[in-house]
């Protein structure tokens, strides 16, 4: 398969449409989430192959806590088991893994697993893979502003949970919805957006390449005159 002509530094995904994918097949929504994990794997593999340095995924939003309890528990369990399964892949591919969000709401068991994965992969040099979990953009700005007020800093970017991570160059949202849904509000200031009708479980390497081609055709001006 072809390679992208321009490789962004940081590509981020709003993985949407898992529930609809499952319902279309007459299955429970959780099957869509299971299949969605396969898409995460495919996107990570392609990203390493293409030399993308940062790839991030919105996996669970602050608002997603308001879903039915069975779905929330199912997603927590899926996160736990996916982490366990992927450790070897991360280590073999030199991937540094991070989870960003308000983890005070997450069980101790899952928190411990996240910490274990982050520590074990801390030396990964090829790519950083980030999962935004129990995250919202407004929460991030709120916690940053509070810490900045206490510590007396001057650049809010230093206090956001993404401090040290370059802002996304490209944001891809699947499932046809064209909104940010309280994702990185500050960090997306100059990000290029690609919206695709493909449901997340159907989003694989080929669709990823299409989105990168679309990105390559964009003219990023950052407010300047070219
Ligand atoms: C995205 O798929 C995954 C999460 C938000 C956890 P959805 O679960 O939102 O699927 P749809 O949008 O209902 O189809
Ligand atoms: C956005 O998807 C959040 C994640 C992908 C984790 P949602 O399905 O929760 O967004 P809305 O409700 O359609 O805006
Ligand atoms: Mg959705």
């Amino acid at each position: 398969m072809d390679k992208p002509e321009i490789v962004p530094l940081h590509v981020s995904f709003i993985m949407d449409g898992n529930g609809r994918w499952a319902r279309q097949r007459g299955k429970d929504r959780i099957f869509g989430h299971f299949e969605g994990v396969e898409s995460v794997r495919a996107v990570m593999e392609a990203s390493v192959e293409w030399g993308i340095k940062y790839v991030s995924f919105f996996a669970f939003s602050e608002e997603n806590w308001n879903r039915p309890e069975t779905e929330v528990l199912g997603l927590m369990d899926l996160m736990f088991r996916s982490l366990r399964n992927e450790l070897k892949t991360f280590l073999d591919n030199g991937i540094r893994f991070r989870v960003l969000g308000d983890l005070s709401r997450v069980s101790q068991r899952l928190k411990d697993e996240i910490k274990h994965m982050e520590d074990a992969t801390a030396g990964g040099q090829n790519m950083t893979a980030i999962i935004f979990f129990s995250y919202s953009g407004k929460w991030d700005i709120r916690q940053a502003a509070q810490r900045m007020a206490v510590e007396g800093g001057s650049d809010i970017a230093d206090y956001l949970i993404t401090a040290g991570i370059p802002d996304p160059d490209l944001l891809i949202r699947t499932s046809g919805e064209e909104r940010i849904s309280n994702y990185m509000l500050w960090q997306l200031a100059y990000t290029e957006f690609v919206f695709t009708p493909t449901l997340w479980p159907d989003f694989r390497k080929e669709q990823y390449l299409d989105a990168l081609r679309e990105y390559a055709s964009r003219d990023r001006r950052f407010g300047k005159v070219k």
Side-chain angles (χ1 to χ4, degrees), residues 3-4 13 20 34 37 57 64 74 81 91-92 123 125 131-132 135 140 160 163 191 195 216 225-226:
K3 289 185 77 137
F13 294 86
R20 278 165 280 171
F34 288 156
V37 174
F57 303 89
N64 290 151
R81 282 187 290 135
L91 293 175
D92 289 350
Q125 298 282 338
I131 301 283
F132 284 87
Y135 177 86
D140 195 2
L160 292 169
T191 302
F195 298 106
V225 175
K226 270 200 177 163

Side-chain angles (χ1 to χ4, degrees), residues 35 64 74 114 123 148 171:
E35 195 59 26
N64 290 151
I114 288 169
M148 193 162 96
L171 174 77

Side-chain angles (χ1 to χ4, degrees), residues 13-180:
F13 294 86
I14 299 182
M15 315 184 273
D16 201 9
N18 293 351
R20 278 165 280 171
W21 185 91
R23 297 310 305 163
Q24 282 175 4
R25 286 159 181 76
K27 292 187 172 181
D28 193 82
R29 293 174 53 85
I30 198 74
F31 286 96
H33 299 311
F34 288 156
E35 195 59 26
V37 174
E38 299 304 317
S39 296
V40 174
R41 186 175 295 127
V43 164
M44 278 203 204
E45 262 176 37
S47 301
V48 174
E49 183 190 325
W50 294 335
I52 291 169
K53 286 291 170 193
Y54 294 85
V55 63
S56 58
F57 303 89
F58 200 8
F60 192 82
S61 74
E62 194 179 6
E63 290 78 13
N64 290 151
W65 285 108
N66 299 318
R67 291 189 177 194
E69 197 187 357
T70 48
E71 181 162 346
V72 171
L73 289 174
L75 285 165
M76 293 296 140
D77 189 50
L78 184 61
M79 177 74 175
F80 184 82
R81 282 187 290 135
S82 304
L83 295 183
R84 282 258 152 119
N85 291 337
E86 295 312 313
L87 181 58
K88 190 176 178 316
T89 314
F90 289 150
L91 293 175
D92 289 350
N93 289 288
I95 298 174
R96 181 176 180 193
F97 178 71
R98 299 190 60 190
V99 177
L100 303 180
D102 180 8
L103 296 185
S104 69
R105 301 184 70 174
V106 164
S107 74
Q108 192 57 47
R109 188 175 97 111
L110 182 51
K111 263 195 291 220
D112 290 346
E113 189 65 22
I114 288 169
K115 173 93 175 47
H116 172 67
M117 290 286 292
E118 288 185 331
D119 291 348
T121 63
Q125 298 282 338
N126 290 339
M127 184 178 83
T128 300
I130 303 152
I131 301 283
F132 284 87
F133 198 80
S134 188
Y135 177 86
S136 84
K138 288 190 179 180
W139 166 81
D140 195 2
I141 293 171
R142 207 182 308 121
Q143 68 79 27
Q146 281 164 356
R147 287 199 297 130
M148 193 162 96
V150 172
E151 292 175 27
S154 58
D155 185 355
I156 198 154
D158 295 338
Y159 291 88
L160 292 169
I161 199 138
T162 50
I165 296 168
D167 290 344
D169 299 291
L170 170 63
L171 174 77
I172 300 168
R173 183 170 185 152
T174 55
S175 89
E177 309 301 345
E178 302 190 353
R179 54 178 171 262
I180 299 183

